[in-house]
Structure formats: C-alpha cells, structure tokens
Amino acid sequence: MRYAEGRPERFPAIMAEFVRLNVRVIVAGGGLAAARAARHATSTIPIVTPAVADPVKDGLVASIARPGGNFTGLSMMNTEVSGKRVELLKAALPRLARVAIVREFIPNRTQAEVEEATTAVRALGLQSHVIEVRGANGFDAAFMEIHKLRSDALLMTASTLFNAHRRALVERVAVSRLPAIWENREFAEAGGLMSYGPDILDMYRHAAFYVDKILKGTRPGELPIEQPTKFDLVINMETAKALGVTISPSLLRRADRIIE
C-alpha cells in the first residue's frame, strides 16, 4: 500500500514502484490523477479504479461496457449528478443567485462535470463562475476569488485533493459562512451543509470483487465499468443552524440521512 498524502504529483513515482515490484494488480485509488498515472506506468498489469468521474470522456477506457486493455473499475457518474447537486442547492437556498463551482485543476481533465453544473445553473436562472484550485497551497487564493465574486454558495466538485484535506477545507468553508454542497457523505459528516453522491466507501469495497475476478483469470478489459445505482442526500442540520439556513420540510423528507 502506498499513500500520496493528497499530493497528486506523487502518483507517477508510486505507480512506477508498483511496476518494479511486479505486482499482479494495481488498485488505483485517488481519482483521475492516480488512474492516469497507472495507465502511463503500465499497459500490461491489470488496473482497477475504485472511483473516477467519467472514464470514457477522460480517455481511460474505450467504453463502459467493454473497457478494453488492462483497465476497469467503477465510475462515480459525477458528470450526471452535478446538475442534481445544483438543484438541491437551490432547493435549500431559495434566494440563491450566484454559485461558485470549485474544482481541482488537473491537466487535460475534461470539463464535463463543470459544464453539466453550469447548464443546470443557467436553467435555474442563476449565475455561476468556476474557481480552480491548484494544489493544497491554492486554497487561500481560491477563497479570495470566491469572496471577490460575492458568491452566495459553493458547489464542490469531486476531487482527490479535496478529499485528502476534507476537514480543513470544511472548516475553511464554515469560517467563510458559505453554504456548500459536496460530493459525498464524508464531507457532510465532517461539518459540510449538504452532500449528494454515491457511497464512496462501498465503491472501494466493491473494487475487491474486480480484483478477485482478475486474480482468477478474467481479463480486466472484459469487465464492464460499473456505475452506482443509489445516491444519498445527507443534510447536516447543525451546520444549517450555524449558517442561519432554514431547510424546508420537503427537502428534509428527500434526505437519506439527517445529521443533528
């Protein structure tokens, strides 16, 4: 096991080490940056990704049904659900006017998730601006821009960087007194206002089934990329009260979990 400690630039060295160790399978946790580093490091060792946003659009596989090559795993479907996150944010904040869409900068990353979110923003008659965070040292500059643009709320996109700095980032958002919706329940449990997305821990557990099949002889390229079928809405009422946000009864009834 190797951990990049929230530093995507370490992934290539880690994957190169796995190749030198001649491992039988690489489980490339860490999102798109880790998956790309693994693909670059080897075209023969099977690679399983527990969670990436859109493996087809990001050029990792040929198709969902038949990935091909030495790569397979699970997709988080963040492109599809980002619009839903905008709708939920608007439902929680009826007076919402300006949304900051915050994303981690990854070279050559597709804009699909952001485009889906901005389309949903326009459909609701809102304004949006995209804020890119370039590494852990980029949080200060990002929040300066967010405040300069007078954002009303934040949509935090899927990000390995954000996950690695989850608690510190949630605390930073709390200090800014900005409502935010996050990608998974761990952020709401850490103090974020809302989260909507698949169960990431369950996806990592399910990656073990791929490893099992590969070790028993199945080619990774013949194992379809699986997509989550259940998405959880989690609302942190303690955070809502601290922000002075009144969550409507209708939205609370839609929640899969309420933190009080």
Side-chain angles (χ1 to χ4, degrees):
M1 180 181 291
R2 298 292 184 269
Y3 180 46
E5 299 178 337
R7 296 167 56 191
E9 67 273 14
R10 295 186 59 188
F11 286 131
I14 289 172
M15 300 307 171
E17 181 184 5
F18 286 156
V19 173
R20 289 196 300 272
L21 292 170
N22 196 29
V23 298
R24 294 182 63 189
V25 182
I26 295 174
V27 179
L32 177 59
R36 280 182 171 165
R39 285 296 304 271
H40 181 74
T42 177
S43 60
T44 56
I45 297 175
I47 299 166
V48 175
T49 174
V52 291
D54 194 324
V56 176
K57 290 185 178 179
D58 283 315
L60 298 173
V61 299
S63 73
I64 293 294
R66 294 188 65 83
N70 62 324
F71 193 97
T72 189
L74 298 98
S75 167
M76 294 170 62
M77 291 180 66
N78 278 314
T79 300
E80 290 82 354
V81 302
S82 59
K84 184 68 173 181
R85 292 188 181 112
V86 174
E87 295 173 8
L88 291 167
L89 198 57
K90 176 62 175 176
L93 306 164
R95 297 183 179 180
L96 180 65
R98 293 178 296 275
V99 180
I101 301 170
V102 186
R103 75 193 299 257
E104 175 188 359
F105 172 77
I106 299 177
N108 302 316
R109 182 182 187 179
T110 67
Q111 296 281 340
E113 184 179 356
V114 170
E115 290 171 356
E116 181 72 18
T118 54
T119 297
V121 167
R122 287 195 299 270
L124 292 171
L126 309 177
Q127 297 177 356
S128 67
H129 40 267
V130 179
I131 309 294
E132 289 194 331
V133 179
R134 295 173 178 259
N137 295 329
F139 289 136
D140 287 344
F143 276 92
M144 287 179 63
E145 188 174 358
I146 287 167
H147 287 293
K148 181 180 179 181
L149 294 168
R150 300 176 65 186
S151 305
D152 299 320
L154 311 178
L155 186 150
M156 308 296 295
T157 61
S159 163
T160 303
L161 176 67
F162 299 166
N163 268 300
H165 298 275
R166 183 187 308 130
R167 292 195 175 277
L169 189 52
V170 167
E171 290 174 4
R172 180 64 182 269
V173 172
V175 170
S176 301
R177 297 195 59 78
L178 286 170
I181 187 165
W182 307 79
E183 62 166 303
N184 61 58
R185 65 170 58 215
E186 283 75 21
F187 285 95
E189 291 170 348
L193 175 63
M194 303 168 62
S195 67
Y196 179 74
D199 187 331
I200 301 299
L201 291 179
D202 185 65
M203 294 177 73
Y204 269 77
R205 293 188 191 100
H206 194 65
F209 289 92
Y210 281 88
V211 174
D212 177 63
K213 290 179 180 179
I214 290 169
L215 292 178
K216 289 178 178 176
T218 304
R219 294 179 180 178
E222 297 175 354
L223 293 171
I225 300 288
E226 292 192 23
Q227 298 172 302
T229 57
K230 185 177 184 296
F231 296 84
D232 294 328
L233 170 61
V234 182
I235 300 174
N236 191 316
M237 289 303 293
E238 184 178 350
T239 300
K241 292 174 183 177
L243 292 171
V245 174
T246 301
I247 305 294
S248 68
S250 61
L251 184 56
L252 288 175
R253 285 193 294 269
R254 295 166 62 185
D256 298 280
R257 182 183 175 192
I258 297 173
I259 301 172
E260 297 185 281

PDB file of all heavy atoms in Angstrom, residues 4-25:
ATOM      1  N   ALA A   4      -0.397   8.875  -1.318  1.00  0.00           N
ATOM      2  CA  ALA A   4       0.200  10.087  -1.893  1.00  0.00           C
ATOM      3  C   ALA A   4       0.045  11.301  -0.985  1.00  0.00           C
ATOM      4  O   ALA A   4       0.570  12.375  -1.297  1.00  0.00           O
ATOM      5  CB  ALA A   4      -0.429  10.389  -3.247  1.00  0.00           C
ATOM      6  N   GLU A   5      -0.676  11.160   0.133  1.00  0.00           N
ATOM      7  CA  GLU A   5      -0.838  12.231   1.117  1.00  0.00           C
ATOM      8  C   GLU A   5      -1.400  13.502   0.504  1.00  0.00           C
ATOM      9  O   GLU A   5      -0.983  14.612   0.826  1.00  0.00           O
ATOM     10  CB  GLU A   5       0.500  12.518   1.808  1.00  0.00           C
ATOM     11  CG  GLU A   5       1.052  11.312   2.559  1.00  0.00           C
ATOM     12  CD  GLU A   5       2.397  11.579   3.196  1.00  0.00           C
ATOM     13  OE1 GLU A   5       3.108  12.501   2.734  1.00  0.00           O
ATOM     14  OE2 GLU A   5       2.728  10.879   4.166  1.00  0.00           O
ATOM     15  N   GLY A   6      -2.365  13.314  -0.405  1.00  0.00           N
ATOM     16  CA  GLY A   6      -3.006  14.479  -1.008  1.00  0.00           C
ATOM     17  C   GLY A   6      -2.141  15.225  -2.004  1.00  0.00           C
ATOM     18  O   GLY A   6      -2.459  16.353  -2.381  1.00  0.00           O
ATOM     19  N   ARG A   7      -1.079  14.592  -2.480  1.00  0.00           N
ATOM     20  CA  ARG A   7      -0.170  15.229  -3.436  1.00  0.00           C
ATOM     21  C   ARG A   7      -0.166  14.425  -4.734  1.00  0.00           C
ATOM     22  O   ARG A   7       0.580  13.458  -4.884  1.00  0.00           O
ATOM     23  CB  ARG A   7       1.238  15.303  -2.848  1.00  0.00           C
ATOM     24  CG  ARG A   7       1.323  16.196  -1.606  1.00  0.00           C
ATOM     25  CD  ARG A   7       2.627  15.996  -0.864  1.00  0.00           C
ATOM     26  NE  ARG A   7       3.784  16.230  -1.720  1.00  0.00           N
ATOM     27  CZ  ARG A   7       5.028  15.915  -1.367  1.00  0.00           C
ATOM     28  NH1 ARG A   7       5.259  15.333  -0.197  1.00  0.00           N
ATOM     29  NH2 ARG A   7       6.026  16.159  -2.193  1.00  0.00           N
ATOM     30  N   PRO A   8      -1.016  14.809  -5.686  1.00  0.00           N
ATOM     31  CA  PRO A   8      -1.137  14.046  -6.947  1.00  0.00           C
ATOM     32  C   PRO A   8       0.171  13.894  -7.700  1.00  0.00           C
ATOM     33  O   PRO A   8       0.332  12.922  -8.451  1.00  0.00           O
ATOM     34  CB  PRO A   8      -2.144  14.877  -7.747  1.00  0.00           C
ATOM     35  CG  PRO A   8      -2.914  15.652  -6.732  1.00  0.00           C
ATOM     36  CD  PRO A   8      -1.940  15.950  -5.635  1.00  0.00           C
ATOM     37  N   GLU A   9       1.108  14.815  -7.513  1.00  0.00           N
ATOM     38  CA  GLU A   9       2.376  14.721  -8.233  1.00  0.00           C
ATOM     39  C   GLU A   9       3.191  13.490  -7.810  1.00  0.00           C
ATOM     40  O   GLU A   9       4.160  13.105  -8.481  1.00  0.00           O
ATOM     41  CB  GLU A   9       3.199  15.991  -8.027  1.00  0.00           C
ATOM     42  CG  GLU A   9       3.700  16.217  -6.613  1.00  0.00           C
ATOM     43  CD  GLU A   9       2.703  16.952  -5.717  1.00  0.00           C
ATOM     44  OE1 GLU A   9       1.523  17.066  -6.107  1.00  0.00           O
ATOM     45  OE2 GLU A   9       3.132  17.414  -4.633  1.00  0.00           O
ATOM     46  N   ARG A  10       2.791  12.847  -6.711  1.00  0.00           N
ATOM     47  CA  ARG A  10       3.499  11.662  -6.244  1.00  0.00           C
ATOM     48  C   ARG A  10       3.019  10.382  -6.926  1.00  0.00           C
ATOM     49  O   ARG A  10       3.682   9.344  -6.845  1.00  0.00           O
ATOM     50  CB  ARG A  10       3.344  11.509  -4.728  1.00  0.00           C
ATOM     51  CG  ARG A  10       4.002  12.621  -3.909  1.00  0.00           C
ATOM     52  CD  ARG A  10       3.933  12.320  -2.427  1.00  0.00           C
ATOM     53  NE  ARG A  10       4.596  11.071  -2.109  1.00  0.00           N
ATOM     54  CZ  ARG A  10       4.550  10.496  -0.906  1.00  0.00           C
ATOM     55  NH1 ARG A  10       3.865  11.058   0.070  1.00  0.00           N
ATOM     56  NH2 ARG A  10       5.167   9.351  -0.681  1.00  0.00           N
ATOM     57  N   PHE A  11       1.865  10.448  -7.584  1.00  0.00           N
ATOM     58  CA  PHE A  11       1.302   9.233  -8.177  1.00  0.00           C
ATOM     59  C   PHE A  11       2.223   8.552  -9.187  1.00  0.00           C
ATOM     60  O   PHE A  11       2.358   7.325  -9.174  1.00  0.00           O
ATOM     61  CB  PHE A  11      -0.066   9.518  -8.811  1.00  0.00           C
ATOM     62  CG  PHE A  11      -1.174   9.697  -7.814  1.00  0.00           C
ATOM     63  CD1 PHE A  11      -2.028  10.785  -7.891  1.00  0.00           C
ATOM     64  CD2 PHE A  11      -1.376   8.772  -6.799  1.00  0.00           C
ATOM     65  CE1 PHE A  11      -3.056  10.958  -6.975  1.00  0.00           C
ATOM     66  CE2 PHE A  11      -2.397   8.934  -5.877  1.00  0.00           C
ATOM     67  CZ  PHE A  11      -3.246  10.027  -5.961  1.00  0.00           C
ATOM     68  N   PRO A  12       2.866   9.285 -10.117  1.00  0.00           N
ATOM     69  CA  PRO A  12       3.726   8.595 -11.087  1.00  0.00           C
ATOM     70  C   PRO A  12       4.825   7.763 -10.431  1.00  0.00           C
ATOM     71  O   PRO A  12       5.091   6.628 -10.867  1.00  0.00           O
ATOM     72  CB  PRO A  12       4.309   9.750 -11.915  1.00  0.00           C
ATOM     73  CG  PRO A  12       3.259  10.818 -11.836  1.00  0.00           C
ATOM     74  CD  PRO A  12       2.730  10.723 -10.441  1.00  0.00           C
ATOM     75  N   ALA A  13       5.452   8.288  -9.393  1.00  0.00           N
ATOM     76  CA  ALA A  13       6.512   7.546  -8.713  1.00  0.00           C
ATOM     77  C   ALA A  13       5.955   6.307  -8.017  1.00  0.00           C
ATOM     78  O   ALA A  13       6.588   5.239  -8.005  1.00  0.00           O
ATOM     79  CB  ALA A  13       7.227   8.449  -7.704  1.00  0.00           C
ATOM     80  N   ILE A  14       4.777   6.451  -7.436  1.00  0.00           N
ATOM     81  CA  ILE A  14       4.148   5.310  -6.759  1.00  0.00           C
ATOM     82  C   ILE A  14       3.829   4.201  -7.758  1.00  0.00           C
ATOM     83  O   ILE A  14       4.108   3.027  -7.517  1.00  0.00           O
ATOM     84  CB  ILE A  14       2.873   5.773  -6.022  1.00  0.00           C
ATOM     85  CG1 ILE A  14       3.253   6.638  -4.806  1.00  0.00           C
ATOM     86  CG2 ILE A  14       2.032   4.577  -5.581  1.00  0.00           C
ATOM     87  CD1 ILE A  14       2.073   7.289  -4.120  1.00  0.00           C
ATOM     88  N   MET A  15       3.237   4.586  -8.889  1.00  0.00           N
ATOM     89  CA  MET A  15       2.884   3.582  -9.895  1.00  0.00           C
ATOM     90  C   MET A  15       4.132   2.930 -10.489  1.00  0.00           C
ATOM     91  O   MET A  15       4.147   1.725 -10.758  1.00  0.00           O
ATOM     92  CB  MET A  15       2.023   4.210 -10.985  1.00  0.00           C
ATOM     93  CG  MET A  15       0.717   4.794 -10.488  1.00  0.00           C
ATOM     94  SD  MET A  15      -0.274   3.626  -9.523  1.00  0.00           S
ATOM     95  CE  MET A  15      -1.562   4.720  -8.900  1.00  0.00           C
ATOM     96  N   ALA A  16       5.166   3.718 -10.692  1.00  0.00           N
ATOM     97  CA  ALA A  16       6.416   3.161 -11.209  1.00  0.00           C
ATOM     98  C   ALA A  16       7.003   2.141 -10.225  1.00  0.00           C
ATOM     99  O   ALA A  16       7.555   1.107 -10.628  1.00  0.00           O
ATOM    100  CB  ALA A  16       7.423   4.280 -11.469  1.00  0.00           C
ATOM    101  N   GLU A  17       6.852   2.417  -8.936  1.00  0.00           N
ATOM    102  CA  GLU A  17       7.328   1.467  -7.930  1.00  0.00           C
ATOM    103  C   GLU A  17       6.536   0.167  -7.989  1.00  0.00           C
ATOM    104  O   GLU A  17       7.107  -0.933  -7.888  1.00  0.00           O
ATOM    105  CB  GLU A  17       7.212   2.084  -6.534  1.00  0.00           C
ATOM    106  CG  GLU A  17       7.717   1.159  -5.432  1.00  0.00           C
ATOM    107  CD  GLU A  17       7.520   1.733  -4.043  1.00  0.00           C
ATOM    108  OE1 GLU A  17       6.896   2.810  -3.918  1.00  0.00           O
ATOM    109  OE2 GLU A  17       7.968   1.080  -3.076  1.00  0.00           O
ATOM    110  N   PHE A  18       5.217   0.272  -8.167  1.00  0.00           N
ATOM    111  CA  PHE A  18       4.394  -0.934  -8.280  1.00  0.00           C
ATOM    112  C   PHE A  18       4.834  -1.785  -9.468  1.00  0.00           C
ATOM    113  O   PHE A  18       4.870  -3.014  -9.392  1.00  0.00           O
ATOM    114  CB  PHE A  18       2.917  -0.560  -8.440  1.00  0.00           C
ATOM    115  CG  PHE A  18       2.268  -0.061  -7.179  1.00  0.00           C
ATOM    116  CD1 PHE A  18       1.142   0.754  -7.239  1.00  0.00           C
ATOM    117  CD2 PHE A  18       2.768  -0.400  -5.933  1.00  0.00           C
ATOM    118  CE1 PHE A  18       0.530   1.205  -6.083  1.00  0.00           C
ATOM    119  CE2 PHE A  18       2.165   0.055  -4.766  1.00  0.00           C
ATOM    120  CZ  PHE A  18       1.048   0.863  -4.848  1.00  0.00           C
ATOM    121  N   VAL A  19       5.178  -1.117 -10.571  1.00  0.00           N
ATOM    122  CA  VAL A  19       5.640  -1.849 -11.757  1.00  0.00           C
ATOM    123  C   VAL A  19       6.961  -2.555 -11.456  1.00  0.00           C
ATOM    124  O   VAL A  19       7.157  -3.721 -11.830  1.00  0.00           O
ATOM    125  CB  VAL A  19       5.781  -0.897 -12.961  1.00  0.00           C
ATOM    126  CG1 VAL A  19       6.435  -1.621 -14.134  1.00  0.00           C
ATOM    127  CG2 VAL A  19       4.413  -0.351 -13.373  1.00  0.00           C
ATOM    128  N   ARG A  20       7.867  -1.875 -10.772  1.00  0.00           N
ATOM    129  CA  ARG A  20       9.155  -2.502 -10.410  1.00  0.00           C
ATOM    130  C   ARG A  20       8.943  -3.697  -9.486  1.00  0.00           C
ATOM    131  O   ARG A  20       9.674  -4.695  -9.559  1.00  0.00           O
ATOM    132  CB  ARG A  20      10.069  -1.476  -9.729  1.00  0.00           C
ATOM    133  CG  ARG A  20      10.619  -0.416 -10.663  1.00  0.00           C
ATOM    134  CD  ARG A  20      11.787   0.315 -10.023  1.00  0.00           C
ATOM    135  NE  ARG A  20      11.406   0.975  -8.780  1.00  0.00           N
ATOM    136  CZ  ARG A  20      10.918   2.211  -8.709  1.00  0.00           C
ATOM    137  NH1 ARG A  20      10.742   2.928  -9.828  1.00  0.00           N
ATOM    138  NH2 ARG A  20      10.604   2.753  -7.547  1.00  0.00           N
ATOM    139  N   LEU A  21       7.928  -3.600  -8.604  1.00  0.00           N
ATOM    140  CA  LEU A  21       7.630  -4.699  -7.687  1.00  0.00           C
ATOM    141  C   LEU A  21       6.912  -5.850  -8.382  1.00  0.00           C
ATOM    142  O   LEU A  21       6.710  -6.909  -7.788  1.00  0.00           O
ATOM    143  CB  LEU A  21       6.765  -4.192  -6.528  1.00  0.00           C
ATOM    144  CG  LEU A  21       7.439  -3.227  -5.545  1.00  0.00           C
ATOM    145  CD1 LEU A  21       6.420  -2.622  -4.593  1.00  0.00           C
ATOM    146  CD2 LEU A  21       8.532  -3.951  -4.762  1.00  0.00           C
ATOM    147  N   ASN A  22       6.521  -5.622  -9.641  1.00  0.00           N
ATOM    148  CA  ASN A  22       5.839  -6.641 -10.439  1.00  0.00           C
ATOM    149  C   ASN A  22       4.579  -7.156  -9.752  1.00  0.00           C
ATOM    150  O   ASN A  22       4.343  -8.369  -9.668  1.00  0.00           O
ATOM    151  CB  ASN A  22       6.789  -7.806 -10.755  1.00  0.00           C
ATOM    152  CG  ASN A  22       6.261  -8.678 -11.893  1.00  0.00           C
ATOM    153  OD1 ASN A  22       5.553  -8.198 -12.776  1.00  0.00           O
ATOM    154  ND2 ASN A  22       6.607  -9.954 -11.859  1.00  0.00           N
ATOM    155  N   VAL A  23       3.753  -6.236  -9.260  1.00  0.00           N
ATOM    156  CA  VAL A  23       2.509  -6.624  -8.607  1.00  0.00           C
ATOM    157  C   VAL A  23       1.560  -7.255  -9.635  1.00  0.00           C
ATOM    158  O   VAL A  23       1.692  -7.037 -10.842  1.00  0.00           O
ATOM    159  CB  VAL A  23       1.825  -5.408  -7.941  1.00  0.00           C
ATOM    160  CG1 VAL A  23       2.718  -4.819  -6.856  1.00  0.00           C
ATOM    161  CG2 VAL A  23       1.467  -4.331  -8.973  1.00  0.00           C
ATOM    162  N   ARG A  24       0.591  -8.010  -9.153  1.00  0.00           N
ATOM    163  CA  ARG A  24      -0.333  -8.692 -10.063  1.00  0.00           C
ATOM    164  C   ARG A  24      -1.510  -7.805 -10.467  1.00  0.00           C
ATOM    165  O   ARG A  24      -2.089  -7.987 -11.529  1.00  0.00           O
ATOM    166  CB  ARG A  24      -0.825  -9.994  -9.433  1.00  0.00           C
ATOM    167  CG  ARG A  24       0.296 -11.024  -9.268  1.00  0.00           C
ATOM    168  CD  ARG A  24      -0.222 -12.314  -8.690  1.00  0.00           C
ATOM    169  NE  ARG A  24      -1.204 -12.951  -9.582  1.00  0.00           N
ATOM    170  CZ  ARG A  24      -1.942 -13.999  -9.230  1.00  0.00           C
ATOM    171  NH1 ARG A  24      -1.811 -14.518  -8.011  1.00  0.00           N
ATOM    172  NH2 ARG A  24      -2.808 -14.525 -10.081  1.00  0.00           N
ATOM    173  N   VAL A  25      -1.890  -6.886  -9.591  1.00  0.00           N
ATOM    174  CA  VAL A  25      -2.981  -5.947  -9.875  1.00  0.00           C
ATOM    175  C   VAL A  25      -2.660  -4.628  -9.185  1.00  0.00           C
ATOM    176  O   VAL A  25      -2.130  -4.624  -8.066  1.00  0.00           O
ATOM    177  CB  VAL A  25      -4.350  -6.459  -9.359  1.00  0.00           C
ATOM    178  CG1 VAL A  25      -5.463  -5.474  -9.713  1.00  0.00           C
ATOM    179  CG2 VAL A  25      -4.674  -7.829  -9.909  1.00  0.00           C
TER     180      VAL A  25
END
